[in-house]
């Protein structure tokens, strides 16, 4: 029974189950390519993709990864800094929430990929347009989910706070935000992967480094294995960032996790 408890503890450790699932997918992928003899230019097997990593030096990989990660993180945290105050204002103002909240919900469905070229043309080259695209693609899920969480606060608690003449800052920090934490972290987990997508989309349009640029360059040179290697790196970056946000929630806000996932 001890070994079973130890096994369950290992499987419940942060990040273990997703990594195990990822490894299982790789094994099934390799077996499927070999069994069905899928051409490498259609879908290379993981063992062939490993060869794609050798085509670029480690220093060059680090340069590409850092270029994508830097833009993704700057846009992500900038989006958090912008969306949180806006969500608080919308949650406290019934008129503004009724006027703006439906628009935000609708606009978040607009593919930011379509406006990326326009932003590049308007802002030129460099990190600025890439950060703006990343910020834009993460802003709407963050502001909509945070506003929803802030407005989900039981109204009797708000009335009690106001009847006791509690300051606005206490109403926000001690009543509304605790109720919104599960909504906020749900949006943070989604947005952190969207930030990577935003950075890559910007690199597709205008960049000379980054994983998106590497994938586009590899496909233009018909280096399919290299392109797939870039895709694998993107998945790993997104998975690591997602686990970091989950770990932050697990350590500092364990009560906001669903039952059985603490």
């Amino acid at each position: 029974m001890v070994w079973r408890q130890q096994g369950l503890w290992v499987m419940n450790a942060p990040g273990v189950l997703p990594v195990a699932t990822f490894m299982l997918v790789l094994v099934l992928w390799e077996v499927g390519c070999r069994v069905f003899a899928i051409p490498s230019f259609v879908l290379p097997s993981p063992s062939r993709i490993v060869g794609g990593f050798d085509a670029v030096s480690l220093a060059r990989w680090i340069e590409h990864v850092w270029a994508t990660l830097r833009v993704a993180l700057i846009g992500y945290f900038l989006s958090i800094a912008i969306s949180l105050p806006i969500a608080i204002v919308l949650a406290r103002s019934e008129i503004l929430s009724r006027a703006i909240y439906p628009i935000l919900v609708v606009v978040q469905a607009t593919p930011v990929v379509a406006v990326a070229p326009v932003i590049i043309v308007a802002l030129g080259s460099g990190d600025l347009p890439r950060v703006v695209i990343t910020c834009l693609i993460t802003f709407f899920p963050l502001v909509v989910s945070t506003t929803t969480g802030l407005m989900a606060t039981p109204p009797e608690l708000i009335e009690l706070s106001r009847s006791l003449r509690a300051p606005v800052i206490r109403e926000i920090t001690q009543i509304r935000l605790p109720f919104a934490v599960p909504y906020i972290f749900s949006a943070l987990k989604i947005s952190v992967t969207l930030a990577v997508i935003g950075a890559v989309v910007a690199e597709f349009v205008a960049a000379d480094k980054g994983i998106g640029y590497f994938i586009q360059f590899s496909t233009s040179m018909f280096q399919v294995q290299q392109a797939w290697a870039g895709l694998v790196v993107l998945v790993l970056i997104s998975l690591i960032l997602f686990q970091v946000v989950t770990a932050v929630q697990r350590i500092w806000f364990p009560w906001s996790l669903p039952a059985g996932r603490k």
Side-chain angles (χ1 to χ4, degrees), residues 5 18 40 106 189 230:
Q5 293 176 352
S40 60
V106 173
K189 292 175 187 176

Side-chain angles (χ1 to χ4, degrees), residues 140-235:
F140 292 102
L142 279 170
V143 72
V144 169
S145 186
T146 304
T147 305
T148 303
L150 291 170
M151 291 193 300
T153 307
E156 56 269 22
L157 292 180
I158 302 297
E159 292 298 327
L160 177 61
S161 171
R162 293 176 179 174
S163 66
L164 295 175
R165 299 180 184 277
V168 174
I169 188 67
R170 291 189 64 183
E171 175 191 320
I172 295 172
T173 58
Q174 297 183 10
I175 298 178
R176 288 187 181 271
L177 281 177
F179 274 94
V181 165
Y183 294 85
I184 294 173
F185 269 97
S186 177
L188 288 175
K189 292 175 187 176
I190 295 173
S191 298
V192 77
T193 56
L194 289 176
V196 177
I197 295 174
V200 170
V201 167
E203 290 165 359
F204 281 156
V205 180
D208 58 359
K209 65 181 70 173
I211 299 300
Y213 164 78
F214 175 77
I215 293 173
Q216 187 187 43
F217 177 78
S218 299
T219 52
S220 66
M221 301 300 290
F222 299 101
Q223 300 292 337
V224 180
Q225 295 176 11
Q226 292 184 33
W228 275 95
L231 290 173
V232 171
V233 171
L234 280 182
V235 172

Side-chain angles (χ1 to χ4, degrees), residues 4 10 45 51 55 57 97 122-123 130 136 178 183 208 219 230 233-234 256:
R4 181 177 295 178
V10 171
S45 63
S57 65
S97 64
L123 300 179
R130 298 163 62 195
L136 196 59
Y183 294 85
D208 58 359
T219 52
V233 171
L234 280 182
S256 66

